Amino acid sequence: MVVEISNFINNVFVPTSTRLESFDPSNGQLLCHVPDSDKKECDIAVEAAAQAFKSWSLTSHLERAKILNRIADEIEKNIDELAKAESQDQGKPLSVSTNFEIPRAAYNFRFFAAAILNHKNESTELQHLKSFNYTTEVPSGVAVLISPWNLPLYLLTWKIAPCIASGCTCVCKPSEFTSLTAFMLCDILLKAGLPPGVVNIVFGLGSKIGNELVTHPEIKLISFTGGTVTGNIIRQATSKQPFKRLSLELGGKNPGIVFQDFFHLIQEIIA
């Protein structure tokens, strides 16, 4: 059965008029129809996140931690289904998804739920002036979170968890090649009671909607994991918006060796 994926905006599933095809890498068969989102969907998602930020940023650390732990609970309840979907969508062994990646996704939420309840601020006393200096940390605003294809749910939750734990809201853009578990996460967020607009997930081509998201004036933070070329495009696109905070985790550091019989073997595999 082909899975029909929809965008998740303001806690509502929103279909698009055009769709992309995503295939099971193990057999080449159609697995999902993925939204081919455009500027309209991006703008609606960012607006939803901006509105949600007004109240979510004022939510207590304790309440945020409770919701993050409930998200982790729901992920753990659905480990088998998520692991199967991740393996089918991404192509990795089921044992890796079951024993490492999906449990780590749950742990990401538990880690940051604990972190915000044990956060400490530092102060400096100036005795001769009878005063002291201190710093406070406040939520920044709406973040764009762009995750890669190789660790789909693991790295998406590694971005979402600290974002919402700190009181920020977000618009997420998973890889168009591995969108299935991100879509399944939407139901989990609803079951956990996350308020509307705190997490929005927009699916589609990075080349089509990536620039719309990262250059949107409401976006204060960008977290991107992916290729070095794309990271440089993001850096250049936002260079005229100097107050955006960028976190770029880029590839290109791992060498590969191609042997002479590579193309011959590929032909045998295809045949």
Side-chain angles (χ1 to χ4, degrees), residues 39-108:
K39 184 178 186 301
K40 176 184 176 182
E41 285 83 18
C42 293
D43 289 345
I44 295 172
V46 172
E47 177 61 23
Q51 291 300 318
F53 176 74
K54 297 176 182 179
S55 56
W56 182 250
S57 59
L58 301 177
T59 305
S60 70
H61 286 190
L62 180 60
E63 181 60 25
R64 287 183 222 155
K66 288 180 180 179
I67 292 176
L68 264 68
N69 277 314
R70 289 204 295 267
I71 295 172
D73 291 341
E74 291 298 327
I75 291 175
E76 289 172 347
K77 289 178 185 177
N78 294 277
I79 281 183
D80 291 341
E81 293 83 357
L82 288 165
K84 181 179 178 181
E86 196 78 295
S87 179
Q88 190 175 20
D89 195 23
Q90 202 278 340
K92 63 186 60 191
L94 181 60
S95 59
V96 174
S97 298
T98 303
N99 298 317
F100 172 61
E101 291 190 16
I102 305 305
R104 175 59 192 263
Y107 180 75
N108 288 341

Side-chain angles (χ1 to χ4, degrees), residues 17-248:
S17 57
T18 58
R19 300 175 300 177
L20 306 169
E21 293 182 336
S22 180
F23 299 91
D24 183 334
S26 70
N27 56 27
Q29 295 181 0
L30 181 63
L31 179 63
C32 307
H33 282 133
V34 180
D36 184 16
S37 302
D38 57 22
K39 184 178 186 301
K40 176 184 176 182
E41 285 83 18
C42 293
D43 289 345
I44 295 172
V46 172
E47 177 61 23
Q51 291 300 318
F53 176 74
K54 297 176 182 179
S55 56
W56 182 250
S57 59
L58 301 177
T59 305
S60 70
H61 286 190
L62 180 60
E63 181 60 25
R64 287 183 222 155
K66 288 180 180 179
I67 292 176
L68 264 68
N69 277 314
R70 289 204 295 267
I71 295 172
D73 291 341
E74 291 298 327
I75 291 175
E76 289 172 347
K77 289 178 185 177
N78 294 277
I79 281 183
D80 291 341
E81 293 83 357
L82 288 165
K84 181 179 178 181
E86 196 78 295
S87 179
Q88 190 175 20
D89 195 23
Q90 202 278 340
K92 63 186 60 191
L94 181 60
S95 59
V96 174
S97 298
T98 303
N99 298 317
F100 172 61
E101 291 190 16
I102 305 305
R104 175 59 192 263
Y107 180 75
N108 288 341
F109 287 100
R110 295 210 191 280
F111 178 88
F112 287 102
I116 57 174
L117 295 180
N118 295 278
H119 184 71
K120 296 180 180 179
N121 288 331
E122 294 184 356
S123 63
T124 302
E125 184 178 6
L126 304 175
Q127 290 184 337
H128 63 292
L129 297 176
K130 297 182 179 180
S131 64
F132 63 94
N133 296 328
Y134 66 95
T135 59
T136 58
E137 297 181 357
V138 297
S140 298
V142 181
V144 164
L145 311 177
I146 304 175
S147 55
W149 61 270
N150 58 327
L151 297 163
L153 190 64
Y154 170 179
L155 287 183
L156 180 61
T157 57
W158 184 240
K159 296 177 185 293
I160 292 175
C163 176
I164 64 176
S166 64
C168 294
T169 57
C170 60
V171 178
C172 306
K173 211 298 284 185
S175 169
E176 63 272 20
F177 298 112
T178 51
S179 301
L180 186 52
T181 50
F183 179 58
M184 296 171 70
L185 179 66
C186 300
D187 267 327
I188 287 173
L189 299 177
L190 289 174
K191 291 177 181 178
L194 188 69
V198 175
V199 174
N200 306 273
I201 303 182
V202 178
F203 300 91
L205 296 170
S207 58
K208 185 175 180 179
I209 61 175
N211 188 70
E212 300 292 346
L213 289 172
V214 300
T215 60
H216 195 290
E218 285 283 354
I219 299 303
K220 308 301 182 185
L221 308 99
I222 301 164
S223 175
F224 169 79
T225 300
T228 303
V229 173
T230 305
N232 193 41
I233 292 172
I234 293 173
R235 181 187 63 82
Q236 293 178 347
T238 58
S239 61
K240 295 182 180 179
Q241 300 172 310
F243 299 107
K244 288 187 188 289
R245 299 181 181 181
L246 298 182
S247 171
L248 305 177

